[in-house]
Amino acid sequence: MNKQSNTYTVIYIIVLVVVVGAALAFTAMSLRDRQVANANADKMKQILASVHIPVNDKDVDRQFADHITSMLVVNAEGKVVKEGGADDMAIFNIDVAEQAREQASARELPVYVCRLDDGVTKYILPVAGNGLWGPIWGYVALDADGSTVYGAYFDHASETPGLGAEIATERFQKEFVGKEFFKGDKFLPVKVVKAGQNPADGSDYVDGISGGTITSKGVGSMLDNCLQPYDNYLQTLRK
């Protein structure tokens, strides 16, 4: 075949594309299990970070299993509809961002039940929403009273460094510790407000990030949208 012909050039390109595509597909498939394992390990670290448990990267699976005594799925009525151990991947893999777009009555609401080294139980609730430039997410840990915030962890995909990205800092997250979600019998998720302002409904609040107004509002909206459906379940803890 004439290597200078158009036919040769087209055939060469097609063969090259097929070979390179097959190689990339094989590589992706061979690495998929490792990628999934790394993603799961990162999620476990984030969950444990909400209860201030430092994690050894090489031993995160064991540490997660040691502290997460069970994983639950509850509904908006407060009933436990599914329960599993720390290895229940069906519960672990619930897409919280997808659930947050559903009507509250239709959502699957995960709860991670955590036992600390001193034997105290905490309840970790996942949240997901949107910041200025992309997705934001996190985990809020409550005391056994179902109201007092023990810890919080937030992260983001692409918020602005030094501004909205500050939601991922310990300084911002520590502001939530000790805040209450219930005022009397009324469930009021913690608000994120502009410095110097107070919520009109009397709910607990933290100051938003200076220069990161939209991301701060995103965190507030995320907490309200994702945590309101847990009201009835948390009421059962209080009782």
Side-chain angles (χ1 to χ4, degrees):
M1 181 180 293
N2 182 5
K3 293 185 178 181
Q4 305 302 319
S5 67
N6 290 336
T7 301
Y8 177 84
T9 301
V10 171
I11 293 175
Y12 179 82
I13 292 173
I14 292 174
V15 171
L16 184 63
V17 170
V18 170
V19 171
V20 172
L24 290 174
F26 174 78
T27 302
M29 291 178 62
S30 62
L31 294 176
R32 186 175 184 279
D33 288 345
R34 184 179 298 178
Q35 292 170 339
V36 170
N38 288 341
N40 288 345
D42 187 53
K43 181 176 178 178
M44 292 176 186
K45 288 171 60 178
Q46 294 180 22
I47 292 171
L48 294 178
S50 71
V51 285
H52 319 299
I53 296 176
V55 176
N56 182 337
D57 289 343
K58 296 181 179 179
D59 206 20
V60 62
D61 290 336
R62 183 192 62 78
Q63 289 178 284
F64 188 79
D66 284 349
H67 290 286
I68 302 301
T69 58
S70 64
M71 294 192 289
L72 315 175
V73 177
V74 302
N75 60 23
E77 297 177 358
K79 298 178 180 178
V80 177
V81 297
K82 190 182 299 183
E83 182 172 1
D87 59 348
D88 191 323
M89 300 311 293
I91 298 177
F92 184 80
N93 288 327
I94 289 176
D95 189 333
V96 176
E98 181 178 310
Q99 293 296 318
R101 292 189 287 268
E102 300 287 342
Q103 294 291 329
S105 59
R107 295 185 197 177
E108 292 184 304
L109 305 170
V111 179
Y112 305 98
V113 183
C114 177
R115 182 183 61 233
L116 302 183
D117 290 335
D118 59 5
V120 175
T121 297
K122 308 296 179 183
Y123 296 86
I124 305 170
L125 313 179
V127 294
N130 294 297
L132 174 59
W133 302 113
I136 57 177
W137 63 90
Y139 301 90
V140 178
L142 300 180
D143 287 340
D145 64 3
S147 177
T148 308
V149 178
Y150 177 74
Y153 176 91
F154 303 113
D155 209 342
H156 62 92
S158 53
E159 297 307 293
T160 308
L163 298 176
E166 292 295 296
I167 66 170
T169 64
E170 183 179 4
R171 179 192 63 79
F172 178 73
Q173 294 164 10
K174 285 176 65 175
E175 294 297 315
F176 289 83
V177 176
K179 305 297 184 182
E180 298 285 344
F181 276 14
F182 280 92
K183 296 298 180 182
D185 290 330
K186 190 173 183 180
F187 183 63
L188 297 170
V190 177
K191 302 291 192 298
V192 181
V193 301
K194 186 176 181 180
Q197 296 182 348
N198 298 328
D201 60 6
S203 59
D204 279 356
Y205 65 93
V206 301
D207 289 338
I209 297 164
S210 178
T213 302
I214 295 179
T215 307
S216 298
K217 289 182 177 179
V219 173
S221 297
M222 172 176 71
L223 294 175
D224 187 62
N225 177 46
C226 291
L227 297 181
Q228 282 287 355
Y230 285 96
D231 180 359
N232 288 324
Y233 173 71
L234 296 178
Q235 291 278 13
T236 66
L237 298 182
R238 288 168 60 76
K239 295 176 181 177

